[in-house]
Amino acid sequence: MRLRKWFMDLFHQSAKSMRDKKGISSIFIALLFLIPFMTFSMFLIESRFLYTIKNSADDAVVAAALAALKSTNPVDIAYGEYVLDPNDARDTFYEYLRKNMKLDENMNPLPGSAAAGPVHVDEFIVYNPGSYPTFCPRGTFIKNTSIHVVVSFKAKRPALTGLFGKYVDIVIHRDVDNFYNLQEE
């Protein structure tokens, strides 16, 4: 009951100020600062949300690439240099990417997926011994058996769709190897 009385008193006070034209400037100035502040706040929240979507998709791509780095001969892995079959690596990568990002067989999103449209694997290159040291098409130095992957998809923007569009394009570039150095550098 007290809360209702407080709101009614506030309403009557603001209505009186509007009639007397004494409080209109303070209300106008408050709105002048409140609208840009709210827009900026929504921008910050949305950017963190989209950053989280990109990070989860990046983790899915890295996990799929690590799964594709498996070798049929564990002795070769122990010595550090091993040869990947590009077709097997590609099939394994697609299988795990579909599982990790919740995609169907045609790379379209299932319910609960971070993607709002089809996921495209723009580049997939396997670097085996003899093809490195080199640079990937995006400039990363390759010095071990690696997989170069570029994945792109659209994510739905949660707010500010009128200002920046309904979807945002996300591109993930990763060069993944499983070389571990146990010595301190």
Side-chain angles (χ1 to χ4, degrees), residues 11-70:
F11 172 73
H12 290 302
Q13 195 175 24
S14 64
K16 181 181 175 189
S17 295
M18 294 292 278
R19 260 184 270 128
D20 295 341
K21 306 274 189 208
K22 292 179 184 174
I24 190 74
S25 62
S26 62
I27 292 173
F28 180 71
I29 289 174
L31 287 176
L32 188 66
F33 287 109
L34 186 63
I35 291 172
F37 175 74
M38 292 299 288
T39 304
F40 182 68
S41 297
M42 288 303 295
F43 175 75
L44 288 177
I45 292 168
E46 180 182 75
S47 65
R48 295 306 299 168
F49 179 76
L50 292 173
Y51 185 71
T52 302
I53 288 176
K54 182 177 181 184
N55 278 345
S56 67
D58 183 62
D59 291 344
V61 169
V62 169
L66 285 173
L69 278 170
K70 70 180 181 180

Side-chain angles (χ1 to χ4, degrees), residues 41-113:
S41 297
M42 288 303 295
F43 175 75
L44 288 177
I45 292 168
E46 180 182 75
S47 65
R48 295 306 299 168
F49 179 76
L50 292 173
Y51 185 71
T52 302
I53 288 176
K54 182 177 181 184
N55 278 345
S56 67
D58 183 62
D59 291 344
V61 169
V62 169
L66 285 173
L69 278 170
K70 70 180 181 180
S71 175
T72 55
N73 188 354
V75 175
D76 290 342
I77 293 175
Y79 288 104
E81 283 195 1
Y82 57 95
V83 177
L84 290 174
D85 179 26
N87 293 327
D88 288 344
R90 182 183 312 273
D91 293 342
T92 304
F93 176 79
Y94 274 91
E95 174 189 347
Y96 282 94
L97 183 66
R98 283 193 291 268
K99 287 179 183 178
N100 293 339
M101 289 190 68
K102 298 179 183 173
L103 305 172
D104 65 7
E105 290 297 318
N106 297 321
M107 302 297 279
N108 292 317
L110 295 171
S113 176

Side-chain angles (χ1 to χ4, degrees), residues 114-145:
V119 175
H120 304 284
V121 179
D122 300 328
E123 298 174 20
F124 185 89
I125 302 171
V126 174
Y127 292 99
N128 281 316
S131 60
Y132 56 80
T134 188
F135 289 92
C136 81
R138 303 241 174 161
T140 304
F141 184 65
I142 305 293
K143 60 183 180 182
N144 297 311
T145 300

